[in-house]
Amino acid sequence: MSSLRKNIAVIFGTRPDTIKLAPIILELRKHPHFRVITIATAQHRHMLDQVLDVFKIKPDFDLDIMEPKQSLAKLTKNSIAALDDVLVETKPDMVLVQGDTTTTFVGSLAAFYRQIPVGHVEAGLRTQDKANPFPEEINRRLTSCIADLHFAPTSTAKRALLKENIRSENVIVTGNSVIDALRYSIKKVYNFPDRRLNEFVKERRRIILLTMHRRENWGTPMTGACEAVKKLVSQYPDDRFVFPVHLNPIVREVVYPILDGIENVVLIEPLPYSDFVNLMARSYLILTDSGGVQEEGPSLGKPILVLRTITERPEAVKSGTVKLVGLDPTRISATARRLLDNATAYRQMANATNPYGDGHASRRTIQALQHFFGFSKKMPSEFRPR
Ligand code: UD1
Ligand code: UDP
């Protein structure tokens, strides 16, 4: 058994990978077997900093590679060169990456080139359609090829990895650390810095929360979804539609011309994570194409309509809290109207279920790392939803 502390380099760069790695970083920091090196590509700048503020994490290395409307190739090129320099300087014993962003894939590739073992958090999500989500389906498949240790959030994800001939002793079902982050952040009483949000809660308005950003939805699908929302908004003047708009200019160029200036629509800047999840907890209905929001909603008992044609997160669709509505404007507004008009249909969807985690994913991840490095003989017991 090794007695030396192991250096774990955690690489992140966007809003979602940082939210999901934050609880693991905080746990790792407390652990006597490990020393953490935090490396931010800063693929996102402002949205990353918002998350780092909430979890009080200051990266040891900040590569600051974001550029407006950066192409995927340029993002890849800039981040791999900068990551390689840091890996050469810090010589970690393992690199941890999360999910399916370009930072995830490039982080794992940079580690592979330097022959550093890779741990992949949230491994095994698949749609089996390389165009959906684009480019994430390929990012995560490529990361699975490289990773040495795979932290699958659910048993479905583990099965997908085993089908790809990944050895079962290198896969552990941990649950998703997004639920650890959620538990850290949800408060019974919450004061939103934006006073309008406090008023909606106080006035007991139904809040319909929206998010959209996926690349495969850019252009016509996103325009259609916004038009569907615009129609809905006019039919429910007493409800409040809150849309924190992603900072990607390509998204903003679609959303603002259609939805700005309407009385019961609030277009706002991306919310800090704690504001966002506390707003989710106080919302009536959520429409989104986000991955993370699909995992958080069920845990909060909120019906989610997913603005995508396919999802790599089938668990909550099966348990009934999430509906895949696609991007057909008629279907989006009809499904939303049914939930807004019909209390029985609403209640059938609004069940709190936890197919994605129990808040202990970080602990299991660290125990699996202890096993990997020979600090403990046993892998932890796996997450099983109740
Ligand atoms: C990226 C991830 C996607 C993830 C999403 C979460 C890739 C290829 N895509 O989306 O998997 O679901 O993040 O949000 O890794 N911008 C800012 N400030 C910010 C963030 C973004 O100005 O804080 C603007 C910049 O102009 C940037 C653009 O948004 O170039 C797009 O950023 P990018 O990381 O390419 O986002 P997506 O690919 O849309
Ligand atoms: N989120 C946030 N502020 C917002 C919108 C979303 O903090 O204004 C959080 C949300 O709670 C979830 C994560 O961002 O944990 C999801 O990120 P995003 O939708 O950008 O990416 P995806 O999960 O689709 O990769």
Side-chain angles (χ1 to χ4, degrees):
M1 182 192 288
S2 173
S3 57
L4 287 177
R5 279 227 235 176
K6 297 294 176 188
N7 291 320
I8 310 291
V10 187
I11 299 178
F12 47 86
T14 68
R15 173 167 68 190
D17 56 17
T18 311
I19 289 169
K20 291 170 173 178
L21 284 169
I24 296 172
I25 293 171
L26 298 182
E27 254 332 278
L28 267 174
R29 276 193 180 152
K30 292 190 261 170
H31 206 286
H33 288 148
F34 302 110
R35 190 175 297 113
V36 195
I37 305 158
T38 47
I39 308 171
T41 60
Q43 177 180 333
H44 290 170
R45 181 71 276 166
H46 179 68
M47 284 157 52
L48 168 76
D49 293 341
Q50 283 185 319
V51 181
L52 295 174
D53 280 352
V54 168
F55 291 96
K56 301 186 179 58
I57 293 170
K58 189 175 174 325
D60 299 315
F61 296 85
D62 190 325
L63 311 180
D64 201 21
I65 52 123
M66 195 193 89
E67 285 174 20
K69 290 195 181 180
Q70 189 162 221
S71 70
L72 291 173
K74 192 141 185 246
L75 179 56
T76 303
K77 171 185 147 221
N78 289 346
S79 38
I80 197 148
L83 281 169
D84 188 52
D85 290 344
V86 179
L87 295 182
V88 168
E89 184 184 332
T90 55
K91 297 187 178 51
D93 298 294
M94 177 173 260
V95 159
L96 278 189
V97 292
Q98 195 285 340
D100 53 19
T101 67
T102 294
T103 292
T104 315
F105 164 56
V106 176
S108 63
L109 186 63
F112 170 68
Y113 284 161
R114 292 288 168 189
Q115 294 176 290
I116 301 165
V118 172
H120 185 201
V121 176
E122 198 185 74
L125 274 61
R126 296 289 185 270
T127 59
Q128 306 301 349
D129 175 353
K130 71 178 190 179
N132 267 302
F134 173 86
E136 291 84 355
E137 176 72 4
I138 289 300
N139 281 343
R140 59 197 174 211
R141 284 201 230 167
L142 294 171
T143 306
S144 295
C145 292
I146 293 173
D148 299 272
L149 199 48
H150 310 256
F151 305 100
T154 64
S155 53
T156 311
K158 179 173 179 174
R159 276 197 298 280
L161 292 167
L162 300 184
K163 258 193 176 163
E164 291 169 16
N165 296 324
I166 288 169
R167 293 161 68 110
S168 68
E169 61 267 34
N170 298 333
V171 184
I172 167 153
V173 182
T174 54
N176 199 311
S177 56
V178 78
I179 307 299
D180 303 26
L182 194 63
R183 295 204 169 178
Y184 178 92
S185 308
I186 291 284
K187 303 280 177 272
K188 275 216 166 81
V189 180
Y190 196 82
N191 192 23
F192 294 96
D194 186 326
R195 291 204 341 248
R196 288 170 298 180
L197 303 179
N198 292 323
E199 274 162 30
F200 300 161
V201 175
K202 204 166 142 207
E203 290 165 0
R204 295 181 176 272
R205 299 269 180 195
R206 293 196 302 190
I207 298 170
I208 291 91
L209 183 61
L210 286 144
T211 82
M212 249 197 284
H213 70 83
R214 298 239 82 86
R215 280 172 185 256
E216 65 277 11
N217 289 346
W218 288 358
T220 312
M222 202 172 272
T223 305
C226 288
E227 294 289 359
V229 170
K230 186 174 179 182
K231 208 167 146 203
L232 212 54
V233 161
S234 65
Q235 292 161 335
Y236 298 89
D238 293 336
D239 295 341
R240 294 293 175 261
F241 291 72
V242 182
F243 191 163
V245 189
H246 200 282
L247 290 179
N248 194 330
I250 298 168
V251 172
R252 298 170 85 83
E253 283 157 19
V254 171
V255 173
Y256 272 86
I258 302 174
L259 291 169
D260 196 20
I262 303 175
E263 172 123 20
N264 54 334
V265 179
V266 179
L267 297 183
I268 43 177
E269 297 303 297
L271 288 169
Y273 176 67
S274 38
D275 285 10
F276 185 78
V277 291
N278 279 287
L279 186 61
M280 276 184 89
R282 288 152 181 84
S283 295
Y284 192 75
L285 175 65
I286 298 163
L287 277 72
T288 189
D289 65 4
S290 161
V293 175
Q294 283 178 65
E295 294 154 346
E296 292 158 341
S299 185
L300 298 169
K302 301 297 169 183
I304 309 272
L305 301 185
V306 176
L307 307 169
R308 294 173 55 179
T309 50
I310 192 165
T311 181
E312 60 287 82
R313 294 168 170 89
E315 295 86 353
V317 177
K318 267 189 212 138
S319 68
T321 43
V322 167
K323 250 196 191 100
L324 208 55
V325 284
L327 287 132
D328 171 43
T330 315
R331 183 153 181 235
I332 295 171
S333 48
T335 318
R337 281 211 322 271
R338 182 152 187 268
L339 292 168
L340 291 170
D341 292 344
N342 181 333
T344 314
Y346 182 85
R347 271 198 305 276
Q348 276 166 1
M349 272 190 88
N351 296 313
T353 58
N354 273 312
Y356 297 113
D358 57 2
H360 298 291
S362 314
R363 175 181 54 75
R364 291 190 191 92
T365 304
I366 287 156
Q367 288 172 342
L369 289 175
Q370 285 180 287
H371 178 262
F372 182 86
F373 286 110
F375 292 120
S376 85
K377 290 214 170 69
K378 261 179 51 195
M379 277 288 246
S381 53
E382 296 194 320
F383 161 68
R384 283 185 215 296
R386 296 229 177 121

